[in-house]
Amino acid sequence: QVQLVESGGGLVQAGGSLRVSCAASGRTFSSYAMGWFRQAPGKEREFVAAISWSGGSTYYADSVKGRFTISRDNAKNSVYLQMNSLKPEDTAVYYCSAAESFPRTTTAGYAYWGQGTAVTVSS
């Protein structure tokens, strides 16, 4: 089992950058593929990015490809999402999640979730 805690959300202007982080508890972090999802007000939770167990492979939603970068540091039990060229439509609560398979792009593929961190992009 793994527990996930996100941090780093906040308010940023359009075109700006922000990095959100996710700290995992437990000694089995490296045995999970990790993902980021987001949920905007009134919308369903959607896939953003995923990274494999070693970090050697990544996968992105088309809407963020080229702007967002997912990475992980297994020594620190952490996964990150670097967000550049932010747009108002990126405004959402961002969730970290853990899965046994890679890549998984639906919420059903992830067993563990954090509580989320809010990102607001102003125009």
Side-chain angles (χ1 to χ4, degrees):
Q1 190 169 352
V2 61
Q3 293 182 327
L4 306 171
V5 179
E6 301 93 335
S7 62
L11 175 65
V12 62
Q13 289 188 330
S17 298
L18 196 66
R19 188 178 84 156
V20 291
S21 302
C22 174
S25 65
R27 294 175 291 180
T28 59
F29 176 70
S30 60
S31 67
Y32 292 97
M34 300 299 294
W36 284 97
F37 284 72
R38 66 186 181 186
Q39 188 167 17
K43 295 188 176 181
E44 293 187 352
R45 194 169 299 189
E46 65 174 2
F47 171 77
V48 175
I51 190 166
S52 62
W53 306 266
S54 66
S57 297
T58 56
Y59 191 82
Y60 296 93
D62 287 343
S63 59
V64 306
K65 200 173 296 182
R67 299 188 298 123
F68 290 12
T69 302
I70 187 172
S71 62
R72 67 189 295 164
D73 185 337
N74 286 344
K76 295 183 177 179
N77 281 9
S78 294
V79 61
Y80 309 98
L81 186 68
Q82 177 67 44
M83 302 181 288
N84 298 329
S85 302
L86 282 160
K87 305 174 181 179
E89 51 263 44
D90 294 319
T91 295
V93 176
Y94 283 73
Y95 296 90
C96 171
S97 53
E100 295 183 353
S101 301
F102 172 86
R104 293 289 188 183
T105 61
T106 65
T107 57
Y110 289 81
Y112 303 104
W113 294 86
Q115 85 290 344
T117 186
V119 173
T120 302
V121 184
S122 63
S123 58

